[in-house]
Amino acid sequence: MDLSFLTPLYERPGPWASVYADTSTVDESTPERRELHARQARRDLLEQGADEATGYAVYDALASYTHGAAPAGRAVFARGGEVVLDPPLANRLPAPVTSWSVLPRVAPLLGLAGEEPVCLVAYIDRKGADFELRTTLGSRPAGQIHGGERPVHRTASDDRSGRHFQDRAENTWEQNARETAEALSACQEETRAGLVVLAGDERERRAVHDALPHRLLPLTVETDHGGRSAGSDSRLLDEDVERLRREHARTRAAAELERFRAARDPSADGGIVVAAEGVPALVDAAREHRISELLVDPDGPDAGREVWVGDEPHQLAVRRSDARSLSDGEPHTARADDALLRSAAMAGAEAIRVLPGDGASEAGPSGGLGALLRWSRPDGT
C-alpha cells in the first residue's frame, strides 16, 4: 500500500481519535442506527480522554455519512475538534474500532482500505484518451491527450482517392495511439500507479497497448467494459477495475513475501541480509530511514507491542531511556505497528499486509512485523 495519503495525520501532533465505522448495511432504519453508532463512538472517545470538540467532530462525521460515499465503511481520524482524514473502507469491519491515542490507529487500514494498487484508467478512442486515477480515497481526473483530428474515419471506397484517405486514417490512428501511449507512460510515472487499465474499443486500446514501453507491460491490462464516449457502462468497468486491483494485490503480496524470505537469508545475497524482523531490529531501521517496505500482520504478537515515540516519525525506541535521548519532549508509548507505519509513511516507504492464510506462517516475518530494507549496515544488520 502506498502510504502517502496518510501524511496529513503525521504533520500535526496528537493525541488522535481513530474510529472505524461499518456502513455496509442499509435499510429503513439506517439513519437512526448510524446516529446511535455516532453517539456511542463519541461517548467511547470521551471515556478514553478525548476532548469534547474532537468527540463532536467525530460524531458529526459519522452521523452524516451516506451509503454511496462509503459502501463498506469509513475510517475517521480527528484531533483538535477537526476531522483530518476520513478514507472509505473497501472491506467490512470484523469488529468496531474506537481509539484515543498519541498516534492515529492506522494499522487496520491495511486490511480494510485494501492493499490494491493505485490504478490509472485510460478511456481510449481514436482521437486520444482521458485518464483517471483511482486510489484508496476515491477517483479523480488525471489528464487527457488529444491526437490528430483529421482524418480518423476510414472510407469504404475502392478508388485511388478512397485508398489514399484510408491510408491517412490508418496513419492518424497509429500516430494517436503512439501519442496516447507516451502520455499514459508519463502519467503513470508521475502518479506511481501500480496498475494501468485500458478501456475502450478493442482496436484502439490494442494499438495503445502495443505502443507502450516495455516497463509498463507487466502493469497493464485491458477491459472490454467502459469507454470514452458518453453512456459507456461504468458499472461493469468499476467491477472489472476492482477485481483487477484485488488480483494484482494478491500476486504482488505473494511476490513480496518471497522477496522477504530471500532477503533475510544471508546465503542468498553474498552473506548480506537486506531484511529485518522483530521490533528491536525494525526500530533501528526506522530511525535510520532504511525501511523500503513494511510487512505487517495485524494479528501478530509484535503488532500491539508497546514502543516509545517522540514527536518526529524517526523518534522511536524500544526502551524509555533510549527514547529520552532522541527528543527534547517527553516520550509516549504507542503500538509498534502504528509507530512503524508513521515512520514508513514519512520516509516514503510502502506497507503490505501479511495474512497467515496466505503462507505467512512460513514466509512471513517473525512476530508479524518485518521489512525489506533500502540498505544494510556494514555489520550486515
Side-chain angles (χ1 to χ4, degrees):
M1 175 185 281
D2 183 344
L3 301 175
S4 59
F5 76 99
L6 295 176
T7 55
L9 303 180
Y10 305 128
E11 295 171 344
R12 313 180 191 197
W16 285 87
S18 307
V19 178
Y20 291 75
D22 187 341
T23 60
S24 60
T25 303
V26 179
D27 53 33
E28 64 277 0
S29 64
T30 292
E32 294 81 4
R33 186 174 60 253
R34 194 156 296 168
E35 199 277 336
L36 288 174
H37 290 169
R39 192 185 309 167
Q40 184 61 53
R42 173 181 168 273
R43 282 198 297 263
D44 291 344
L45 288 171
L46 294 180
E47 289 176 0
Q48 295 178 43
D51 58 279
E52 287 276 355
T54 300
Y56 275 113
V58 170
Y59 168 85
D60 290 340
L62 294 178
S64 62
Y65 286 145
T66 60
H67 175 70
R74 204 95 193 190
V76 180
F77 301 98
R79 63 163 300 281
E82 176 188 5
V83 173
V84 178
L85 191 67
D86 59 341
L89 304 179
N91 302 309
R92 292 188 62 179
L93 290 164
V97 176
T98 304
S99 169
W100 177 252
S101 53
V102 64
L103 294 182
R105 183 78 182 93
V106 298
L109 282 175
L110 293 181
L112 298 175
E115 293 182 65
E116 293 84 0
V118 172
C119 179
L120 180 60
V121 181
Y123 299 90
I124 301 167
D125 65 12
R126 296 176 181 179
K127 297 181 181 180
D130 297 323
F131 302 144
E132 178 186 65
L133 197 67
R134 301 194 180 198
T135 71
T136 305
L137 299 179
S139 61
R140 61 176 175 82
Q144 57 185 196
I145 175 69
H146 294 289
E149 295 290 334
R150 302 284 185 205
V152 295
H153 299 291
R154 292 191 299 175
T155 176
S157 174
D158 288 331
D159 62 22
R160 179 177 299 178
S161 63
R163 287 196 299 273
H164 176 68
F165 188 91
Q166 179 174 324
D167 290 341
R168 290 180 60 197
E170 294 280 357
N171 292 337
T172 301
W173 292 355
E174 292 175 1
Q175 179 62 28
N176 288 353
R178 288 194 294 270
E179 292 178 3
T180 298
E182 291 174 4
L184 182 59
S185 177
C187 187
Q188 184 277 333
E189 190 169 1
E190 179 182 349
T191 60
R192 299 169 59 191
L195 178 65
V196 177
V197 176
L198 307 182
D201 290 341
E202 182 178 4
R203 178 188 174 103
E204 283 75 41
R205 67 173 192 261
R206 173 49 50 177
V208 171
H209 185 281
D210 291 344
L212 289 173
H214 288 296
R215 69 172 186 85
L216 274 189
L217 295 181
L219 308 180
T220 304
V221 293
E222 298 182 45
T223 174
D224 293 328
H225 302 121
R228 199 180 190 192
S229 60
S232 297
D233 193 334
S234 60
R235 180 183 61 82
L236 292 176
L237 173 64
D238 292 344
E239 292 175 359
D240 265 3
V241 169
E242 290 311 304
R243 175 181 56 79
L244 291 167
R245 292 179 73 193
R246 289 193 298 269
E247 291 175 356
H248 188 280
R250 285 194 294 268
T251 301
R252 180 175 178 269
E256 293 306 290
L257 283 172
E258 185 59 34
R259 282 185 62 207
F260 175 80
R261 182 158 62 175
R264 69 181 176 185
D265 180 3
S267 66
D269 194 13
I272 299 176
V273 177
V274 286
E277 57 188 334
V279 172
L282 290 169
V283 164
D284 286 343
R287 282 205 299 256
E288 298 171 350
H289 309 289
R290 290 191 287 133
I291 294 177
S292 172
E293 184 174 55
L294 188 67
L295 286 75
V296 179
D297 175 2
D299 297 321
D302 281 348
R305 178 174 169 178
E306 283 191 346
V307 296
W308 292 89
V309 298
D311 294 335
E312 299 299 325
H314 67 278
Q315 295 173 344
L316 65 168
V318 176
R319 293 180 294 272
R320 182 173 185 173
S321 57
D322 294 335
R324 283 176 170 170
S325 65
L326 299 174
S327 173
D328 295 333
E330 184 69 19
H332 302 277
T333 58
R335 287 177 57 104
D337 53 3
D338 289 327
L340 289 167
L341 283 165
R342 176 181 71 157
S343 178
M346 298 308 285
E350 296 188 351
I352 192 167
R353 188 186 185 202
V354 175
L355 293 175
D358 292 337
S361 59
E362 297 179 3
S366 174
L369 294 176
L372 290 162
L373 305 178
R374 294 188 170 112
W375 51 272
S376 289
R377 292 173 174 170
D379 61 2
T381 62

PDB file of all heavy atoms in Angstrom, residues 312-340:
ATOM      1  N   GLU A 312       8.642  13.310  16.339  1.00  0.00           N
ATOM      2  CA  GLU A 312       9.032  13.104  14.958  1.00  0.00           C
ATOM      3  C   GLU A 312       8.942  11.628  14.581  1.00  0.00           C
ATOM      4  O   GLU A 312       9.135  10.755  15.426  1.00  0.00           O
ATOM      5  CB  GLU A 312      10.459  13.612  14.727  1.00  0.00           C
ATOM      6  CG  GLU A 312      10.642  15.092  14.994  1.00  0.00           C
ATOM      7  CD  GLU A 312       9.777  15.947  14.089  1.00  0.00           C
ATOM      8  OE1 GLU A 312       9.572  15.555  12.919  1.00  0.00           O
ATOM      9  OE2 GLU A 312       9.285  16.992  14.549  1.00  0.00           O
ATOM     10  N   PRO A 313       8.664  11.327  13.302  1.00  0.00           N
ATOM     11  CA  PRO A 313       8.479   9.934  12.885  1.00  0.00           C
ATOM     12  C   PRO A 313       9.662   9.022  13.155  1.00  0.00           C
ATOM     13  O   PRO A 313       9.486   7.826  13.382  1.00  0.00           O
ATOM     14  CB  PRO A 313       8.212  10.054  11.378  1.00  0.00           C
ATOM     15  CG  PRO A 313       7.670  11.421  11.198  1.00  0.00           C
ATOM     16  CD  PRO A 313       8.371  12.278  12.206  1.00  0.00           C
ATOM     17  N   HIS A 314      10.883   9.560  13.103  1.00  0.00           N
ATOM     18  CA  HIS A 314      12.062   8.720  13.321  1.00  0.00           C
ATOM     19  C   HIS A 314      12.403   8.556  14.796  1.00  0.00           C
ATOM     20  O   HIS A 314      13.328   7.828  15.135  1.00  0.00           O
ATOM     21  CB  HIS A 314      13.272   9.318  12.590  1.00  0.00           C
ATOM     22  CG  HIS A 314      13.721  10.637  13.151  1.00  0.00           C
ATOM     23  ND1 HIS A 314      13.113  11.825  12.819  1.00  0.00           N
ATOM     24  CD2 HIS A 314      14.693  10.953  14.047  1.00  0.00           C
ATOM     25  CE1 HIS A 314      13.697  12.814  13.465  1.00  0.00           C
ATOM     26  NE2 HIS A 314      14.662  12.320  14.219  1.00  0.00           N
ATOM     27  N   GLN A 315      11.661   9.234  15.651  1.00  0.00           N
ATOM     28  CA  GLN A 315      11.939   9.171  17.089  1.00  0.00           C
ATOM     29  C   GLN A 315      11.125   8.048  17.716  1.00  0.00           C
ATOM     30  O   GLN A 315      10.003   8.235  18.163  1.00  0.00           O
ATOM     31  CB  GLN A 315      11.618  10.516  17.749  1.00  0.00           C
ATOM     32  CG  GLN A 315      12.515  11.643  17.277  1.00  0.00           C
ATOM     33  CD  GLN A 315      12.083  13.001  17.815  1.00  0.00           C
ATOM     34  OE1 GLN A 315      10.974  13.179  18.291  1.00  0.00           O
ATOM     35  NE2 GLN A 315      12.975  13.975  17.722  1.00  0.00           N
ATOM     36  N   LEU A 316      11.690   6.848  17.735  1.00  0.00           N
ATOM     37  CA  LEU A 316      11.055   5.709  18.376  1.00  0.00           C
ATOM     38  C   LEU A 316      12.136   4.804  18.950  1.00  0.00           C
ATOM     39  O   LEU A 316      13.266   4.761  18.462  1.00  0.00           O
ATOM     40  CB  LEU A 316      10.136   4.956  17.417  1.00  0.00           C
ATOM     41  CG  LEU A 316      10.684   4.230  16.203  1.00  0.00           C
ATOM     42  CD1 LEU A 316       9.590   3.325  15.619  1.00  0.00           C
ATOM     43  CD2 LEU A 316      11.140   5.194  15.114  1.00  0.00           C
ATOM     44  N   ALA A 317      11.783   4.131  20.029  1.00  0.00           N
ATOM     45  CA  ALA A 317      12.745   3.316  20.762  1.00  0.00           C
ATOM     46  C   ALA A 317      12.017   2.192  21.469  1.00  0.00           C
ATOM     47  O   ALA A 317      10.813   2.279  21.747  1.00  0.00           O
ATOM     48  CB  ALA A 317      13.523   4.167  21.766  1.00  0.00           C
ATOM     49  N   VAL A 318      12.753   1.147  21.762  1.00  0.00           N
ATOM     50  CA  VAL A 318      12.183   0.015  22.489  1.00  0.00           C
ATOM     51  C   VAL A 318      12.091   0.335  23.973  1.00  0.00           C
ATOM     52  O   VAL A 318      11.126  -0.046  24.646  1.00  0.00           O
ATOM     53  CB  VAL A 318      13.036  -1.250  22.260  1.00  0.00           C
ATOM     54  CG1 VAL A 318      12.510  -2.416  23.092  1.00  0.00           C
ATOM     55  CG2 VAL A 318      13.045  -1.616  20.774  1.00  0.00           C
ATOM     56  N   ARG A 319      13.093   1.083  24.490  1.00  0.00           N
ATOM     57  CA  ARG A 319      13.126   1.426  25.917  1.00  0.00           C
ATOM     58  C   ARG A 319      12.931   2.920  26.111  1.00  0.00           C
ATOM     59  O   ARG A 319      13.384   3.732  25.297  1.00  0.00           O
ATOM     60  CB  ARG A 319      14.458   0.982  26.536  1.00  0.00           C
ATOM     61  CG  ARG A 319      14.642  -0.519  26.591  1.00  0.00           C
ATOM     62  CD  ARG A 319      15.979  -0.878  27.222  1.00  0.00           C
ATOM     63  NE  ARG A 319      17.078  -0.441  26.372  1.00  0.00           N
ATOM     64  CZ  ARG A 319      17.590  -1.185  25.388  1.00  0.00           C
ATOM     65  NH1 ARG A 319      17.095  -2.383  25.134  1.00  0.00           N
ATOM     66  NH2 ARG A 319      18.587  -0.722  24.652  1.00  0.00           N
ATOM     67  N   ARG A 320      12.303   3.287  27.222  1.00  0.00           N
ATOM     68  CA  ARG A 320      12.041   4.700  27.500  1.00  0.00           C
ATOM     69  C   ARG A 320      13.338   5.483  27.641  1.00  0.00           C
ATOM     70  O   ARG A 320      13.430   6.629  27.184  1.00  0.00           O
ATOM     71  CB  ARG A 320      11.211   4.830  28.774  1.00  0.00           C
ATOM     72  CG  ARG A 320      10.839   6.270  29.110  1.00  0.00           C
ATOM     73  CD  ARG A 320       9.889   6.353  30.281  1.00  0.00           C
ATOM     74  NE  ARG A 320       9.459   7.729  30.510  1.00  0.00           N
ATOM     75  CZ  ARG A 320       8.533   8.081  31.378  1.00  0.00           C
ATOM     76  NH1 ARG A 320       7.913   7.143  32.103  1.00  0.00           N
ATOM     77  NH2 ARG A 320       8.201   9.347  31.528  1.00  0.00           N
ATOM     78  N   SER A 321      14.342   4.885  28.253  1.00  0.00           N
ATOM     79  CA  SER A 321      15.616   5.580  28.437  1.00  0.00           C
ATOM     80  C   SER A 321      16.246   5.954  27.098  1.00  0.00           C
ATOM     81  O   SER A 321      16.838   7.024  26.950  1.00  0.00           O
ATOM     82  CB  SER A 321      16.583   4.706  29.243  1.00  0.00           C
ATOM     83  OG  SER A 321      16.768   3.446  28.604  1.00  0.00           O
ATOM     84  N   ASP A 322      16.089   5.082  26.104  1.00  0.00           N
ATOM     85  CA  ASP A 322      16.617   5.393  24.777  1.00  0.00           C
ATOM     86  C   ASP A 322      15.798   6.498  24.119  1.00  0.00           C
ATOM     87  O   ASP A 322      16.338   7.352  23.408  1.00  0.00           O
ATOM     88  CB  ASP A 322      16.589   4.146  23.893  1.00  0.00           C
ATOM     89  CG  ASP A 322      17.531   3.065  24.392  1.00  0.00           C
ATOM     90  OD1 ASP A 322      18.511   3.406  25.083  1.00  0.00           O
ATOM     91  OD2 ASP A 322      17.278   1.880  24.111  1.00  0.00           O
ATOM     92  N   ALA A 323      14.485   6.484  24.338  1.00  0.00           N
ATOM     93  CA  ALA A 323      13.617   7.478  23.715  1.00  0.00           C
ATOM     94  C   ALA A 323      13.920   8.887  24.225  1.00  0.00           C
ATOM     95  O   ALA A 323      13.826   9.857  23.474  1.00  0.00           O
ATOM     96  CB  ALA A 323      12.159   7.130  23.976  1.00  0.00           C
ATOM     97  N   ARG A 324      14.292   9.018  25.488  1.00  0.00           N
ATOM     98  CA  ARG A 324      14.574  10.339  26.049  1.00  0.00           C
ATOM     99  C   ARG A 324      15.764  11.000  25.366  1.00  0.00           C
ATOM    100  O   ARG A 324      15.845  12.231  25.294  1.00  0.00           O
ATOM    101  CB  ARG A 324      14.821  10.213  27.547  1.00  0.00           C
ATOM    102  CG  ARG A 324      13.544  10.027  28.362  1.00  0.00           C
ATOM    103  CD  ARG A 324      13.838   9.815  29.827  1.00  0.00           C
ATOM    104  NE  ARG A 324      12.619   9.880  30.621  1.00  0.00           N
ATOM    105  CZ  ARG A 324      12.569   9.545  31.910  1.00  0.00           C
ATOM    106  NH1 ARG A 324      13.664   9.106  32.531  1.00  0.00           N
ATOM    107  NH2 ARG A 324      11.426   9.623  32.569  1.00  0.00           N
ATOM    108  N   SER A 325      16.674  10.189  24.852  1.00  0.00           N
ATOM    109  CA  SER A 325      17.844  10.761  24.185  1.00  0.00           C
ATOM    110  C   SER A 325      17.546  11.172  22.752  1.00  0.00           C
ATOM    111  O   SER A 325      18.368  11.839  22.108  1.00  0.00           O
ATOM    112  CB  SER A 325      18.996   9.742  24.185  1.00  0.00           C
ATOM    113  OG  SER A 325      18.663   8.608  23.400  1.00  0.00           O
ATOM    114  N   LEU A 326      16.386  10.801  22.233  1.00  0.00           N
ATOM    115  CA  LEU A 326      16.035  11.107  20.848  1.00  0.00           C
ATOM    116  C   LEU A 326      15.247  12.396  20.695  1.00  0.00           C
ATOM    117  O   LEU A 326      15.167  12.944  19.600  1.00  0.00           O
ATOM    118  CB  LEU A 326      15.208   9.952  20.255  1.00  0.00           C
ATOM    119  CG  LEU A 326      15.878   8.584  20.181  1.00  0.00           C
ATOM    120  CD1 LEU A 326      14.870   7.542  19.707  1.00  0.00           C
ATOM    121  CD2 LEU A 326      17.067   8.619  19.243  1.00  0.00           C
ATOM    122  N   SER A 327      14.637  12.866  21.768  1.00  0.00           N
ATOM    123  CA  SER A 327      13.735  14.006  21.658  1.00  0.00           C
ATOM    124  C   SER A 327      13.835  14.878  22.897  1.00  0.00           C
ATOM    125  O   SER A 327      14.102  14.385  23.998  1.00  0.00           O
ATOM    126  CB  SER A 327      12.294  13.515  21.481  1.00  0.00           C
ATOM    127  OG  SER A 327      11.381  14.582  21.537  1.00  0.00           O
ATOM    128  N   ASP A 328      13.608  16.174  22.700  1.00  0.00           N
ATOM    129  CA  ASP A 328      13.593  17.097  23.839  1.00  0.00           C
ATOM    130  C   ASP A 328      12.321  16.945  24.657  1.00  0.00           C
ATOM    131  O   ASP A 328      12.305  17.248  25.850  1.00  0.00           O
ATOM    132  CB  ASP A 328      13.708  18.550  23.347  1.00  0.00           C
ATOM    133  CG  ASP A 328      15.054  18.825  22.688  1.00  0.00           C
ATOM    134  OD1 ASP A 328      16.032  18.132  23.047  1.00  0.00           O
ATOM    135  OD2 ASP A 328      15.116  19.702  21.816  1.00  0.00           O
ATOM    136  N   GLY A 329      11.245  16.498  24.030  1.00  0.00           N
ATOM    137  CA  GLY A 329       9.975  16.345  24.725  1.00  0.00           C
ATOM    138  C   GLY A 329       9.888  15.032  25.470  1.00  0.00           C
ATOM    139  O   GLY A 329      10.772  14.171  25.397  1.00  0.00           O
ATOM    140  N   GLU A 330       8.781  14.866  26.176  1.00  0.00           N
ATOM    141  CA  GLU A 330       8.546  13.649  26.930  1.00  0.00           C
ATOM    142  C   GLU A 330       8.063  12.549  25.988  1.00  0.00           C
ATOM    143  O   GLU A 330       7.123  12.753  25.220  1.00  0.00           O
ATOM    144  CB  GLU A 330       7.485  13.905  27.996  1.00  0.00           C
ATOM    145  CG  GLU A 330       7.225  12.728  28.926  1.00  0.00           C
ATOM    146  CD  GLU A 330       8.397  12.429  29.858  1.00  0.00           C
ATOM    147  OE1 GLU A 330       9.246  13.324  30.041  1.00  0.00           O
ATOM    148  OE2 GLU A 330       8.445  11.307  30.387  1.00  0.00           O
ATOM    149  N   PRO A 331       8.706  11.379  25.992  1.00  0.00           N
ATOM    150  CA  PRO A 331       8.260  10.304  25.103  1.00  0.00           C
ATOM    151  C   PRO A 331       6.936   9.704  25.565  1.00  0.00           C
ATOM    152  O   PRO A 331       6.568   9.792  26.733  1.00  0.00           O
ATOM    153  CB  PRO A 331       9.400   9.285  25.194  1.00  0.00           C
ATOM    154  CG  PRO A 331       9.997   9.516  26.545  1.00  0.00           C
ATOM    155  CD  PRO A 331       9.871  10.996  26.795  1.00  0.00           C
ATOM    156  N   HIS A 332       6.234   9.086  24.648  1.00  0.00           N
ATOM    157  CA  HIS A 332       4.957   8.442  24.929  1.00  0.00           C
ATOM    158  C   HIS A 332       4.984   7.023  24.383  1.00  0.00           C
ATOM    159  O   HIS A 332       5.758   6.698  23.479  1.00  0.00           O
ATOM    160  CB  HIS A 332       3.806   9.216  24.281  1.00  0.00           C
ATOM    161  CG  HIS A 332       3.704  10.639  24.724  1.00  0.00           C
ATOM    162  ND1 HIS A 332       3.074  11.009  25.889  1.00  0.00           N
ATOM    163  CD2 HIS A 332       4.162  11.784  24.148  1.00  0.00           C
ATOM    164  CE1 HIS A 332       3.133  12.327  26.015  1.00  0.00           C
ATOM    165  NE2 HIS A 332       3.787  12.823  24.971  1.00  0.00           N
ATOM    166  N   THR A 333       4.106   6.176  24.920  1.00  0.00           N
ATOM    167  CA  THR A 333       4.001   4.813  24.406  1.00  0.00           C
ATOM    168  C   THR A 333       3.019   4.772  23.241  1.00  0.00           C
ATOM    169  O   THR A 333       2.059   5.554  23.178  1.00  0.00           O
ATOM    170  CB  THR A 333       3.544   3.835  25.492  1.00  0.00           C
ATOM    171  OG1 THR A 333       2.280   4.265  26.017  1.00  0.00           O
ATOM    172  CG2 THR A 333       4.566   3.749  26.605  1.00  0.00           C
ATOM    173  N   ALA A 334       3.272   3.857  22.312  1.00  0.00           N
ATOM    174  CA  ALA A 334       2.392   3.657  21.161  1.00  0.00           C
ATOM    175  C   ALA A 334       2.524   2.210  20.709  1.00  0.00           C
ATOM    176  O   ALA A 334       3.497   1.528  21.038  1.00  0.00           O
ATOM    177  CB  ALA A 334       2.768   4.602  20.022  1.00  0.00           C
ATOM    178  N   ARG A 335       1.557   1.752  19.958  1.00  0.00           N
ATOM    179  CA  ARG A 335       1.637   0.422  19.382  1.00  0.00           C
ATOM    180  C   ARG A 335       2.775   0.382  18.365  1.00  0.00           C
ATOM    181  O   ARG A 335       3.002   1.339  17.621  1.00  0.00           O
ATOM    182  CB  ARG A 335       0.330   0.053  18.689  1.00  0.00           C
ATOM    183  CG  ARG A 335      -0.834  -0.264  19.624  1.00  0.00           C
ATOM    184  CD  ARG A 335      -2.091  -0.531  18.790  1.00  0.00           C
ATOM    185  NE  ARG A 335      -1.880  -1.622  17.840  1.00  0.00           N
ATOM    186  CZ  ARG A 335      -2.360  -2.852  17.987  1.00  0.00           C
ATOM    187  NH1 ARG A 335      -3.100  -3.146  19.050  1.00  0.00           N
ATOM    188  NH2 ARG A 335      -2.133  -3.781  17.085  1.00  0.00           N
ATOM    189  N   ALA A 336       3.466  -0.753  18.300  1.00  0.00           N
ATOM    190  CA  ALA A 336       4.591  -0.881  17.384  1.00  0.00           C
ATOM    191  C   ALA A 336       4.147  -0.747  15.930  1.00  0.00           C
ATOM    192  O   ALA A 336       4.823  -0.095  15.123  1.00  0.00           O
ATOM    193  CB  ALA A 336       5.292  -2.220  17.602  1.00  0.00           C
ATOM    194  N   ASP A 337       3.007  -1.363  15.575  1.00  0.00           N
ATOM    195  CA  ASP A 337       2.592  -1.287  14.172  1.00  0.00           C
ATOM    196  C   ASP A 337       2.284   0.140  13.750  1.00  0.00           C
ATOM    197  O   ASP A 337       2.697   0.599  12.681  1.00  0.00           O
ATOM    198  CB  ASP A 337       1.412  -2.225  13.880  1.00  0.00           C
ATOM    199  CG  ASP A 337       0.226  -2.046  14.819  1.00  0.00           C
ATOM    200  OD1 ASP A 337       0.251  -1.152  15.692  1.00  0.00           O
ATOM    201  OD2 ASP A 337      -0.747  -2.825  14.687  1.00  0.00           O
ATOM    202  N   ASP A 338       1.584   0.910  14.604  1.00  0.00           N
ATOM    203  CA  ASP A 338       1.261   2.287  14.255  1.00  0.00           C
ATOM    204  C   ASP A 338       2.499   3.177  14.226  1.00  0.00           C
ATOM    205  O   ASP A 338       2.621   4.070  13.377  1.00  0.00           O
ATOM    206  CB  ASP A 338       0.241   2.853  15.239  1.00  0.00           C
ATOM    207  CG  ASP A 338      -1.145   2.250  15.060  1.00  0.00           C
ATOM    208  OD1 ASP A 338      -1.498   1.921  13.919  1.00  0.00           O
ATOM    209  OD2 ASP A 338      -1.858   2.097  16.059  1.00  0.00           O
ATOM    210  N   ALA A 339       3.437   2.960  15.153  1.00  0.00           N
ATOM    211  CA  ALA A 339       4.663   3.754  15.172  1.00  0.00           C
ATOM    212  C   ALA A 339       5.512   3.488  13.933  1.00  0.00           C
ATOM    213  O   ALA A 339       6.065   4.412  13.323  1.00  0.00           O
ATOM    214  CB  ALA A 339       5.457   3.446  16.437  1.00  0.00           C
ATOM    215  N   LEU A 340       5.622   2.223  13.549  1.00  0.00           N
ATOM    216  CA  LEU A 340       6.426   1.879  12.378  1.00  0.00           C
ATOM    217  C   LEU A 340       5.760   2.354  11.088  1.00  0.00           C
ATOM    218  O   LEU A 340       6.443   2.770  10.142  1.00  0.00           O
ATOM    219  CB  LEU A 340       6.657   0.372  12.338  1.00  0.00           C
ATOM    220  CG  LEU A 340       7.606  -0.161  13.418  1.00  0.00           C
ATOM    221  CD1 LEU A 340       7.524  -1.683  13.506  1.00  0.00           C
ATOM    222  CD2 LEU A 340       9.043   0.286  13.143  1.00  0.00           C
TER     223      LEU A 340
END
